[in-house]
Amino acid sequence: MPTILDKVQGVFGKKEHAEPASALQAAALTNAAGITAATEAESTTPAFDHGKVTVIFVLGGPGAGKGTQCDKLVKDYGFVHLSAGDLLRAEQNRPGSQYGDMIREYIREGKIVPMEVTIKLLENAMRSALSARAKEEKGEDKWGAAWAEGRGRFLIDGFPRKMDQAIKFDEDVCKSGFVLFLSTTEAVLLQRLLERGKTSGREDDNPESISKRFRTFEETSMPVVEYYRQRQKVVEIDSSPPIEEVYAKIRIAVDAALAMVAP
């Protein structure tokens, strides 16, 4: 059976150590400009060179541990962690946003926001993070070549949710490196989310809602996982074990992934 390293070896380059990138993450979230006229413009080539910019999609059912594991990767590797949901919520509350009311209505009705809006927000957030990193004092550079000369590394959490989003992002923004798929059983997800619901205050952390969210993930996001799996771009990690055990396996994949973008 292929190991985690086998799944990603030959696709990426050398291992590189890193430090927290909270400032970059904040810049990406707070400086993600509203949608501009470019939203409607058709792109002929991706906005970013995937030879310099590493994008890892992080997918998994509700409660699979995506946020927890992304936080660890940000700290240890200097990724900027972008959540499509966070960006949409920020945009709907941004004063003067052309799309705020529309986003609010879609979220309220439980519908998926038009992909052009979500993808443009992600592109803007990536551009803001790259710009912020380029302006940092070179003498205080903790990341070496990881963010030099237009390079960067991003975790995109909970996206793409549908096939058309996956294809459009690859075509217009940046060809993704691979999909980190955190898999587990519905029973484990149910147990985790019910436990979280005791303190989270979230209305959707109840058995009925959790079951619906799991079904939605299977129906809309699993075809995306299979699409990338056929292209040998999925690293699947069982997220049922304890957090640190899962993270140790994730690090093997990420170490191999970062090798190809190292100078």
Side-chain angles (χ1 to χ4, degrees):
M1 176 180 292
T3 66
I4 297 167
L5 183 57
D6 291 334
K7 295 177 182 178
V8 290
Q9 205 160 26
V11 180
F12 301 97
K14 281 187 222 174
K15 179 178 184 183
E16 199 175 336
H17 294 292
E19 304 224 1
S22 55
L24 294 179
Q25 183 177 350
L29 292 172
T30 58
N31 296 328
I35 306 301
T36 65
T39 306
E40 287 79 28
E42 291 295 329
S43 300
T44 55
T45 57
F48 306 106
D49 178 0
H50 75 277
K52 291 185 174 181
V53 176
T54 300
V55 173
I56 298 176
F57 292 142
V58 183
L59 295 178
K66 299 184 294 295
T68 297
Q69 298 298 341
C70 282
D71 287 346
K72 289 181 170 294
L73 290 170
V74 167
K75 180 179 179 180
D76 290 342
Y77 292 90
F79 280 97
V80 166
H81 175 202
L82 298 177
S83 162
D86 287 349
L87 291 171
L88 286 168
R89 283 185 283 274
E91 180 64 19
Q92 76 173 356
N93 295 319
R94 186 178 65 84
S97 170
Q98 179 182 354
Y99 296 92
D101 290 341
M102 180 268 289
I103 292 171
R104 190 174 298 107
E105 179 180 351
Y106 270 76
I107 291 177
R108 183 172 58 245
E109 297 297 325
K111 298 185 294 185
I112 295 177
V113 174
M115 68 176 179
E116 291 80 5
V117 174
T118 304
I119 289 173
K120 194 62 187 180
L121 285 173
L122 286 167
E123 179 186 337
N124 289 348
M126 291 172 66
R127 201 176 299 280
S128 292
L130 289 164
S131 177
R133 184 61 181 82
K135 293 176 182 177
E136 288 188 358
E137 291 294 332
K138 299 303 180 185
E140 299 178 2
D141 188 355
K142 297 179 180 179
W143 302 104
W147 288 86
E149 300 178 353
R151 293 183 176 87
R153 47 182 65 162
F154 296 89
L155 299 169
I156 300 185
D157 168 11
F159 177 94
R161 292 179 61 189
K162 295 176 66 180
M163 277 302 310
D164 55 356
Q165 294 179 348
I167 295 170
K168 187 73 170 174
F169 186 93
D170 277 358
E171 290 178 346
D172 288 5
V173 182
C174 187
K175 187 176 179 181
S176 56
F178 70 91
V179 173
L180 177 60
F181 175 40
L182 302 181
S183 63
T184 187
T185 65
E186 184 174 1
V188 169
L189 298 178
L190 179 62
Q191 180 182 12
R192 287 178 179 173
L193 294 178
L194 288 178
E195 185 62 29
R196 185 181 75 179
K198 295 176 181 179
T199 57
S200 69
R202 286 181 51 161
E203 295 181 359
D204 58 351
D205 280 347
N206 62 76
E208 183 178 357
S209 294
I210 292 168
S211 180
K212 288 180 180 178
R213 288 156 61 195
F214 187 77
R215 296 280 88 75
T216 297
F217 172 77
E218 285 192 321
E219 292 168 6
T220 61
S221 296
M222 280 308 298
V224 175
V225 174
E226 293 307 320
Y227 168 79
Y228 284 111
R229 198 193 302 276
Q230 290 173 10
R231 287 154 180 76
Q232 298 184 330
K233 293 179 65 174
V234 171
V235 176
E236 182 172 353
I237 306 290
D238 180 5
S239 65
S240 305
I243 292 171
E244 293 301 331
E245 184 178 332
V246 173
Y247 185 57
K249 294 179 180 179
I250 290 174
R251 289 197 64 159
I252 295 172
V254 172
D255 284 345
L258 294 183
M260 90 174 212
V261 294

